[in-house]
Amino acid sequence: MCGRFAGYRNLDELQKIFPIDRSACEVAANYNVAPSQEILAIFRHQGQNWLDKFHWGLVPFWAKDPSIGNRMINARAETVAEKPSFKNAFKKRRCLIIADGFYEWKGPKGQKQPHFITLPDKKPFAFAGLWETWGKEDQKTLYKSYAIITTKACKAVCDIHHRMPVILKPTAYK
């Protein structure tokens, strides 16, 4: 599971690492990104890689209300291609979600302690993500949202939590 993460690089730093052709937003540090907040994602639009802010919590195009996204912050890698909420986005709308690290909690109930997990070299990385739009563009109700794809935790994380976000290798960014 991924319930919180951090991203604190500026646009110049991000452009050196990620395939960003155009930016449609301002880049600001956030050390405690929570579900329902807007955060940076790179997505393909009109043949270019765009950096923009998306709402964390995927709202499927068929939803009657965007509040459904509050329950859809993560998509399991094992079932993402099958679940009605995610399968359309998985086929057509994948994105990179930029992060410097993520948080997982460990300990007995009421005494859990956060652990901040980063790459060994401390460089920013990308989670695998899915995105959707909801609403009607001509009515100015267009709402862009995303979910982070999660998987079974790797050896370095499994003592803290049994699941983690899918962290992509730079060769997979394109």
Side-chain angles (χ1 to χ4, degrees), residues 112-145:
K112 292 190 177 197
Q113 294 293 311
H115 293 260
F116 187 60
I117 300 162
T118 64
L119 294 181
D121 62 8
K122 308 290 188 223
K123 289 183 179 177
F125 52 88
F127 298 138
L130 310 170
W131 67 277
E132 273 290 2
T133 55
W134 181 85
K136 297 188 172 148
E137 197 166 355
D138 60 335
Q139 295 177 0
K140 303 288 184 202
T141 58
L142 204 59
Y143 188 79
K144 294 182 292 188
S145 62

Side-chain angles (χ1 to χ4, degrees), residues 83-103:
K83 295 284 183 179
S85 300
F86 302 118
K87 70 180 179 180
N88 197 35
F90 180 69
K91 288 178 189 173
K92 301 176 183 177
R93 287 175 294 283
R94 299 178 190 190
C95 63
L96 304 177
I97 300 161
I98 299 171
D100 283 282
F102 64 98
Y103 298 94

